[in-house]
Amino acid sequence: MFPFTINKKVIALVLLASTTFSSCRKLVEIGPPTTQVGLDQAFASDATATSAVLGIYNASATRDALFPLSEMPGLSANELQNNVSSPAFDEFKTNSIAITNSVVQQVLWGYPYSTLNQANTMLNGITRSTTLSSSVKNQLTGEIKVWRAFTLFYLVNMFGDVPLPITDDPIKNATLARAPATEVWVQIIKDLTEAQTVLTDAYPAALRTRINRQTANALLARVYLYQKQWANAEAAANAVINSGLYSLNKNLNTTFSNSSNEVIWQLATLNGISTYMNNRDANGGSYTATPGSVPAVTLTDTLYNSMEPGDLRKANWIAATDIGSKNYKVITKYKITSLPAGASTGNEFNVMLRLAEQYLVRAEARAQQGNLAGAIADVDTIRSRAGLPMLDNSVTQPNLLLAVEQERKAELFGEWGNRWFDLKRTPSTSGGGKTRADDVIGGMRPATWASTDILYPIPDAQRVANPALTQNQGY
């Protein structure tokens, strides 16, 4: 059963906000649909306001961005490979992305800004309402601020400096210049810390399909880690780990089930099949295909071979499969590819955040602060579940940090671009102002790699529509 209902009339309102940045002239010319519900009416009661906010969970921009936000960064990191040739996709796997790339324009830029516009409209409606109960107002405010922070997190990691719309004024937003990345990170932290204060640990929907306080903490831990605020990252991860709400699944094959106690936040699907597995057409986008067919996206041999012998994640989350004359490393974190005869729903959704990452966040933060014993304990928690031997207690800090990087690679592959972002944010082992992306991707693709490739290009069509937008270096 779908764990929440959606008021379609209210969705008509929120979808008005789903236009991406375009020229002011076009925005002025677009009139509201005749069925649109007024903002004040939509937020007049707890029920209608909740329906409006739930629209962001199920909006097409939200759903359609799920797989690409894992796939495209995965191609950039040589973590994933696309098996159906496409000029737009191939540019990611050679780190040679054109400013006219359609995936960058529509999906990586357009969909997140659609979500931001929707979130800002929701926040305006919640703020203006004088009739919502305080508990519902707090819950909805916290949910939307986490959504906005989550969306901005991906934009700033992919593009660096980006426009920062925090109002629902479409004319103003259409002409925004790029805000410095430092300002975007400040806004992300502000939204998440404010969400912490108004949310509670109670989930407002079954199966953790809506946001609670620990969702905000989990994302905040990641944000602090990326910003090298080690003590804050450790504290936020501590809050999640010590909340008593979550535990690691000993059986790796149940990690991504929708009843998994490791899940911190997941997006529901109508049929109980994850978006990552639901599109079985190899020309689409998923980790699976009909039997005997090649999946659209698989793990690279490079990443597969980097995993240690005996790693249970390798055995349970990857299926080395011969298809034709070639062996493919099929990602099987999610298990359900289709419903068996007679079944009306499966038991897997789309996992957004999970507990294992929090142990690895805390491990890295502790190692950076010199607490090597604490960091080793956290890494060993993850390695133990994976059936691997414990780390040597005499490991040095530099080697421990590399061990954390390796565990993140083995644990989080195929999920939300984590490998690409880790390579971009981590300094090179050789110093010189370079990154681990220079070390790793530069070593794999010396003919096409440049240090400026750590940022994607600002879509050319957006720069035409908004001359205030500048371009990233190297494009």
Coordinates of all heavy atoms in Angstrom, one line a residue, residues 112-149:
P112 N 16.7 19.8 -10.6 CA 16.9 20.3 -9.2 C 16.4 21.7 -9.1 O 15.8 22.1 -8.0 CB 18.5 20.3 -9.1 CG 18.9 19.2 -10.0 CD 18.0 19.2 -11.1
Y113 N 16.5 22.6 -10.1 CA 15.9 23.9 -10.0 C 14.4 23.9 -10.0 O 13.7 24.7 -9.3 CB 16.4 24.8 -11.0 CG 17.7 25.4 -10.6 CD1 18.9 25.1 -11.2 CD2 17.8 26.4 -9.5 CE1 20.1 25.6 -10.7 CE2 19.0 26.9 -9.1 CZ 20.2 26.5 -9.7 OH 21.3 27.0 -9.2
S114 N 13.8 22.9 -10.6 CA 12.3 22.7 -10.5 C 12.0 22.4 -9.1 O 11.0 22.9 -8.5 CB 11.9 21.6 -11.5 OG 10.5 21.3 -11.3
T115 N 12.7 21.5 -8.5 CA 12.5 21.1 -7.1 C 12.6 22.3 -6.1 O 11.9 22.5 -5.2 CB 13.4 19.9 -6.7 OG1 13.1 18.8 -7.5 CG2 13.2 19.6 -5.2
L116 N 13.7 23.1 -6.4 CA 13.9 24.3 -5.6 C 12.7 25.2 -5.7 O 12.3 25.8 -4.7 CB 15.2 25.0 -5.9 CG 16.5 24.3 -5.5 CD1 17.7 25.2 -6.0 CD2 16.5 24.2 -4.0
N117 N 12.2 25.5 -6.9 CA 11.1 26.4 -7.1 C 9.9 25.9 -6.3 O 9.2 26.6 -5.7 CB 10.8 26.5 -8.5 CG 11.8 27.3 -9.3 OD1 12.6 28.1 -8.7 ND2 11.8 27.1 -10.6
Q118 N 9.7 24.6 -6.4 CA 8.6 24.0 -5.7 C 8.8 24.1 -4.1 O 7.8 24.5 -3.4 CB 8.5 22.5 -6.0 CG 7.2 21.8 -5.6 CD 7.0 20.4 -6.2 OE1 7.7 20.1 -7.2 NE2 6.1 19.7 -5.7
A119 N 10.0 23.9 -3.7 CA 10.2 24.0 -2.2 C 10.0 25.4 -1.7 O 9.4 25.6 -0.7 CB 11.7 23.5 -1.9
N120 N 10.5 26.4 -2.5 CA 10.3 27.8 -2.1 C 8.8 28.2 -2.1 O 8.4 29.0 -1.2 CB 11.1 28.7 -3.0 CG 12.6 28.5 -2.8 OD1 13.1 28.2 -1.7 ND2 13.4 28.8 -3.9
T121 N 8.1 27.7 -3.0 CA 6.6 28.0 -3.0 C 6.0 27.4 -1.7 O 5.1 28.0 -1.1 CB 6.0 27.4 -4.3 OG1 6.5 28.0 -5.4 CG2 4.5 27.6 -4.2
M122 N 6.4 26.1 -1.4 CA 5.8 25.5 -0.2 C 6.2 26.3 1.1 O 5.3 26.5 1.9 CB 6.4 24.1 -0.1 CG 6.0 23.1 -1.2 SD 4.2 22.8 -1.4 CE 3.9 24.0 -2.7
L123 N 7.4 26.7 1.2 CA 7.9 27.5 2.4 C 7.1 28.8 2.5 O 6.7 29.2 3.6 CB 9.4 27.7 2.3 CG 10.3 26.6 2.7 CD1 11.7 26.9 2.4 CD2 10.1 26.1 4.1
N124 N 6.8 29.4 1.3 CA 6.1 30.7 1.4 C 4.7 30.4 1.9 O 4.1 31.1 2.7 CB 6.0 31.3 0.0 CG 5.3 32.6 0.0 OD1 5.3 33.3 1.0 ND2 4.8 33.0 -1.2
G125 N 4.0 29.3 1.4 CA 2.7 29.0 1.8 C 2.6 28.7 3.3 O 1.7 29.1 4.0
I126 N 3.6 27.9 3.8 CA 3.6 27.5 5.2 C 3.8 28.8 6.0 O 3.1 29.0 7.1 CB 4.7 26.5 5.4 CG1 4.5 25.2 4.7 CG2 4.9 26.3 6.9 CD1 5.7 24.3 4.7
T127 N 4.7 29.7 5.7 CA 5.0 30.9 6.4 C 3.8 31.8 6.5 O 3.5 32.4 7.5 CB 6.2 31.6 5.8 OG1 7.4 30.7 5.8 CG2 6.6 32.9 6.6
R128 N 3.1 31.9 5.4 CA 2.0 32.9 5.3 C 0.8 32.4 6.1 O -0.1 33.1 6.5 CB 1.6 33.1 3.9 CG 2.5 34.0 3.1 CD 2.3 34.1 1.7 NE 0.9 34.3 1.3 CZ 0.4 34.5 0.1 NH1 1.3 34.4 -0.9 NH2 -0.9 34.6 -0.2
S129 N 0.7 31.1 6.2 CA -0.5 30.5 6.8 C -0.7 30.9 8.3 O 0.3 30.8 9.1 CB -0.6 29.0 6.7 OG -1.7 28.4 7.3
T130 N -1.8 31.3 8.7 CA -2.1 31.5 10.1 C -3.1 30.5 10.7 O -3.5 30.7 11.9 CB -2.8 32.9 10.3 OG1 -4.0 33.0 9.5 CG2 -1.8 34.0 9.8
T131 N -3.4 29.5 10.0 CA -4.4 28.5 10.4 C -3.8 27.1 10.6 O -4.5 26.2 11.1 CB -5.5 28.4 9.4 OG1 -5.0 28.2 8.1 CG2 -6.3 29.7 9.3
L132 N -2.5 26.9 10.3 CA -2.0 25.6 10.5 C -1.6 25.4 12.0 O -1.2 26.3 12.7 CB -0.7 25.4 9.7 CG -0.8 25.4 8.2 CD1 0.6 25.3 7.6 CD2 -1.7 24.3 7.7
S133 N -1.8 24.1 12.5 CA -1.4 23.8 13.8 C 0.1 23.9 13.9 O 0.8 23.7 12.9 CB -1.8 22.4 14.2 OG -1.1 21.4 13.4
S134 N 0.6 24.2 15.1 CA 2.1 24.5 15.2 C 2.9 23.2 14.9 O 3.9 23.2 14.3 CB 2.4 25.0 16.6 OG 1.9 24.0 17.6
S135 N 2.3 22.0 15.3 CA 3.0 20.8 15.1 C 3.2 20.5 13.6 O 4.2 20.1 13.1 CB 2.3 19.6 15.8 OG 1.0 19.5 15.3
V136 N 2.1 20.7 12.9 CA 2.1 20.4 11.4 C 3.0 21.5 10.7 O 3.8 21.2 9.8 CB 0.7 20.4 10.8 CG1 0.8 20.4 9.3 CG2 0.0 19.2 11.3
K137 N 2.9 22.7 11.1 CA 3.7 23.8 10.5 C 5.2 23.5 10.7 O 6.0 23.6 9.8 CB 3.3 25.1 11.2 CG 3.9 26.3 10.4 CD 3.2 27.6 10.9 CE 3.5 28.8 10.0 NZ 2.8 30.0 10.3
N138 N 5.6 23.0 11.9 CA 7.0 22.7 12.2 C 7.4 21.5 11.3 O 8.5 21.5 10.7 CB 7.2 22.4 13.7 CG 7.2 23.6 14.5 OD1 7.4 24.7 14.1 ND2 6.9 23.4 15.8
Q139 N 6.6 20.5 11.3 CA 7.0 19.3 10.5 C 7.1 19.6 9.0 O 8.1 19.2 8.4 CB 5.9 18.2 10.7 CG 6.1 17.0 9.8 CD 7.4 16.2 10.2 OE1 7.7 16.1 11.4 NE2 8.1 15.6 9.2
L140 N 6.2 20.3 8.5 CA 6.3 20.6 7.1 C 7.4 21.6 6.7 O 8.1 21.4 5.7 CB 5.0 21.2 6.6 CG 3.7 20.3 6.7 CD1 2.5 21.0 6.1 CD2 3.9 19.0 6.0
T141 N 7.7 22.5 7.6 CA 8.8 23.4 7.4 C 10.1 22.7 7.4 O 11.0 22.9 6.6 CB 8.8 24.5 8.5 OG1 7.6 25.3 8.4 CG2 10.0 25.4 8.4
G142 N 10.3 21.8 8.4 CA 11.5 21.0 8.5 C 11.7 20.1 7.2 O 12.8 20.0 6.7
E143 N 10.6 19.5 6.8 CA 10.7 18.6 5.6 C 11.2 19.4 4.4 O 12.1 18.9 3.6 CB 9.4 17.9 5.3 CG 9.0 16.8 6.3 CD 7.7 16.2 6.0 OE1 7.6 15.3 5.1 OE2 6.6 16.6 6.5
I144 N 10.6 20.5 4.1 CA 10.9 21.3 3.0 C 12.3 21.9 3.0 O 13.0 21.9 2.0 CB 9.9 22.4 2.8 CG1 8.5 21.8 2.4 CG2 10.3 23.4 1.7 CD1 8.5 21.0 1.1
K145 N 12.7 22.2 4.2 CA 14.1 22.8 4.3 C 15.1 21.7 4.1 O 16.2 21.9 3.5 CB 14.3 23.4 5.7 CG 13.6 24.8 5.8 CD 14.0 25.6 6.9 CE 13.3 27.0 6.8 NZ 13.7 27.9 7.9
V146 N 14.8 20.4 4.5 CA 15.7 19.3 4.2 C 15.8 19.1 2.7 O 16.8 18.9 2.1 CB 15.3 18.1 5.0 CG1 16.1 16.9 4.5 CG2 15.6 18.2 6.5
W147 N 14.6 19.1 2.1 CA 14.5 19.0 0.6 C 15.4 20.0 -0.1 O 16.1 19.7 -1.0 CB 13.1 19.0 0.1 CG 12.4 17.7 0.0 CD1 11.4 17.2 0.7 CD2 12.7 16.7 -1.0 NE1 11.0 15.9 0.3 CE2 11.9 15.6 -0.8 CE3 13.7 16.6 -2.0 CZ2 11.9 14.4 -1.5 CZ3 13.8 15.4 -2.7 CH2 12.9 14.4 -2.5
R148 N 15.2 21.3 0.4 CA 16.0 22.3 -0.3 C 17.5 22.1 -0.1 O 18.3 22.3 -1.0 CB 15.5 23.7 0.2 CG 16.2 24.9 -0.5 CD 15.5 26.2 -0.3 NE 15.7 26.7 1.1 CZ 15.1 27.8 1.6 NH1 14.4 28.6 0.8 NH2 15.3 28.2 2.8
A149 N 17.9 21.8 1.1 CA 19.3 21.5 1.4 C 19.8 20.3 0.6 O 20.9 20.4 0.0 CB 19.5 21.2 2.9

